[in-house]
Amino acid sequence: MFDPVLSTLRQSIHRRTRHGEVDQTASAGRLFGGDFSARTTAGAEFGNSRLGIGVMHDLDGEIVSLKGQTWRVPVDGKPIRVGPDETIAFGIAAHGGRRHTLNVPNGSDVDGIVAAIDAYLEQTHADPEQVVCAVEIIGEFSDVLVRTVAPPDHEGASLGEVIDTETRFRFERWSGSMVGFRFPNHTDGRTIPGLHLHAISTDCSSGGHVRQVTTQGTHSNIWIDELHPIVDDNHVAAADIDFSRYEGPAD
């Protein structure tokens, strides 16, 4: 039975619970269309963030940022600290909000992690198609496959073309942090749908974009965030983007 008093109380509590905020620099469509030019600096995008991901100017490395420290993972797979004045082509950064523990069972693959996130959203009565989730998974993993990319070898190359020659690194056992975002599955090309994770090892010797993973002994956190509107007229329609080349399972 609907209880109007209880409903009003829940709405009042919801209004007092401040969501975090997600800032995204450039649209996904712009990136997929082959615009890898500098959009902002690493300091401006990640300097005051709790976590973030992105790619460097001219695709000179995948970016992973955690608690204000930012690295890029170039084509050799060895993370390098990024200075605040270095420029990036694309970035997503999370700020503020309330941290909650996320139950990701041991043995979860990427699909299992998504299922755990969506189960949490269902418990909190949040619609996965209406919110963005920032995610942090720390601990031990197995069957890890990460990738990075080299700068394009010819002018006008799309991101899909670059990804076709991505460099992959496989680890039977791996320890570190995986951070990223679960976006709504439906997109107009401004955001990347689904779960998007980047990784940095505990000893900062490896990392990159996560293609494949199995959790073993991990602790996970989640934040439900509000996405700031992306003002970007030069984006590619979602129908023209094959996101599976970017986020799909490895061959």
Side-chain angles (χ1 to χ4, degrees):
M1 178 184 298
F2 177 72
D3 185 332
V5 176
L6 182 58
S7 176
T8 300
L9 178 60
R10 286 174 174 167
Q11 292 177 21
S12 176
I13 292 172
H14 176 74
R15 284 193 294 268
R16 293 198 305 267
T17 302
R18 185 176 183 274
H19 285 313
E21 298 171 347
V22 170
D23 292 321
Q24 179 173 315
T25 293
S27 71
R30 179 188 289 273
L31 184 69
F32 274 81
D35 186 347
F36 313 131
S37 60
R39 306 298 298 172
T40 188
T41 65
E45 180 70 13
F46 305 112
N48 296 312
S49 67
R50 74 170 105 86
L51 60 85
I53 58 178
V55 292
M56 295 295 292
H57 169 212
D58 286 340
L59 294 189
D60 194 18
E62 301 272 1
I63 295 172
V64 55
S65 185
L66 186 59
K67 298 177 182 177
Q69 298 187 40
T70 303
W71 297 263
R72 66 180 177 94
V73 185
V75 70
D76 66 0
K78 304 297 183 183
I80 300 171
R81 284 292 297 272
V82 175
D85 295 329
E86 294 187 63
T87 54
I88 69 172
F90 179 80
I92 313 171
H95 307 265
R98 178 181 293 181
R99 179 179 64 185
H100 297 274
T101 298
L102 175 67
N103 179 26
V104 179
N106 290 345
S108 296
D109 59 8
V110 172
D111 288 341
I113 295 170
V114 172
I117 294 170
D118 290 352
Y120 175 85
L121 292 177
E122 182 178 357
Q123 292 169 7
T124 56
H125 307 288
D127 184 350
E129 294 304 319
Q130 300 297 323
V131 298
V132 178
C133 295
V135 183
E136 174 187 59
I137 307 173
I138 303 170
E140 302 296 325
F141 305 84
S142 64
D143 193 24
V144 173
L145 183 66
V146 293
R147 74 102 190 281
T148 189
V149 294
D153 58 9
H154 66 276
E155 188 175 352
S158 69
L159 183 60
E161 292 177 272
V162 175
I163 289 173
D164 285 343
T165 58
E166 68 185 16
T167 303
R168 297 175 175 178
F169 302 91
R170 187 180 296 275
F171 304 90
E172 292 185 8
R173 305 287 298 183
W174 190 90
S175 174
S177 299
M178 297 187 179
V179 300
F181 300 87
R182 197 269 193 256
F183 279 94
N185 293 322
H186 300 291
T187 178
D188 63 358
R190 289 182 172 82
T191 59
I192 300 173
L195 180 64
H196 185 128
L197 295 173
H198 287 191
I200 183 78
S201 65
T202 302
D203 61 3
C204 298
S205 66
S206 63
H209 173 104
V210 178
R211 275 288 199 181
Q212 184 174 300
V213 65
T214 301
T215 59
Q216 292 301 330
T218 60
H219 175 78
S220 304
N221 300 308
I222 188 172
W223 297 260
I224 300 176
D225 293 328
E226 296 175 349
L227 178 66
H228 282 190
I230 301 163
V231 180
D232 193 343
D233 295 330
N234 186 23
H235 76 280
V236 178
D240 299 326
I241 304 172
D242 182 5
F243 286 108
S244 65
R245 298 171 77 177
Y246 196 54
E247 293 291 346
D251 297 331

